[in-house]
Amino acid sequence: MGERGLPGRKEIVEQHQREERRFRTDALRAGLGVLTRTYRTRVTRAAPRGIDPGDLDVRAATDAVGLITEVAQALPRNPNETLLLQSLFTRLAALAS
């Protein structure tokens, strides 16, 4: 019988692909959440020390949170994840310098 003999095979494969995509998206969102918390921690630690909000490090961390949020909002549109993350990390590196 082989693969042709399995009724509903196409539906099973499609469901598996949807679930795999959902798990991958959830993992990416979790990673982006950790990254966002790291940058937000930088901003909140700078505030009690009386550092000016216009300070370059604080501004860069705030901009980084915005970039990460943009990437997280793009995930439901099924982008190429590799290119999306490469773009994010390139932009984050530019903020650091």
Side-chain angles (χ1 to χ4, degrees):
M1 289 205 346
E3 291 182 4
R4 289 187 228 157
L6 183 64
R9 182 181 192 287
K10 182 179 177 183
E11 291 80 15
I12 293 171
V13 169
E14 289 173 353
Q15 180 182 3
H16 174 71
Q17 289 173 343
R18 284 191 303 271
E19 289 174 357
E20 184 180 25
R21 171 73 183 176
R22 186 170 15 99
F23 290 138
R24 205 171 49 243
T25 300
D26 289 345
L28 284 172
R29 284 190 181 172
L32 292 173
V34 170
L35 194 57
T36 300
R37 281 191 298 278
T38 302
Y39 281 107
R40 285 187 179 157
T41 301
R42 284 188 187 181
V43 173
T44 56
R45 285 187 181 162
R49 295 184 299 183
I51 295 177
D52 180 29
D55 183 28
L56 290 178
D57 188 40
V58 173
R59 191 177 319 143
T62 305
D63 291 344
V65 170
L67 291 174
I68 297 166
T69 302
E70 287 177 21
V71 168
Q73 290 172 347
L75 287 176
R77 294 189 299 263
N78 296 327
N80 182 325
E81 294 155 351
T82 303
L83 290 177
L84 187 67
L85 291 175
Q86 285 178 349
S87 171
L88 171 66
F89 292 132
T90 302
R91 293 163 70 188
L92 289 176
L95 286 176
S97 38

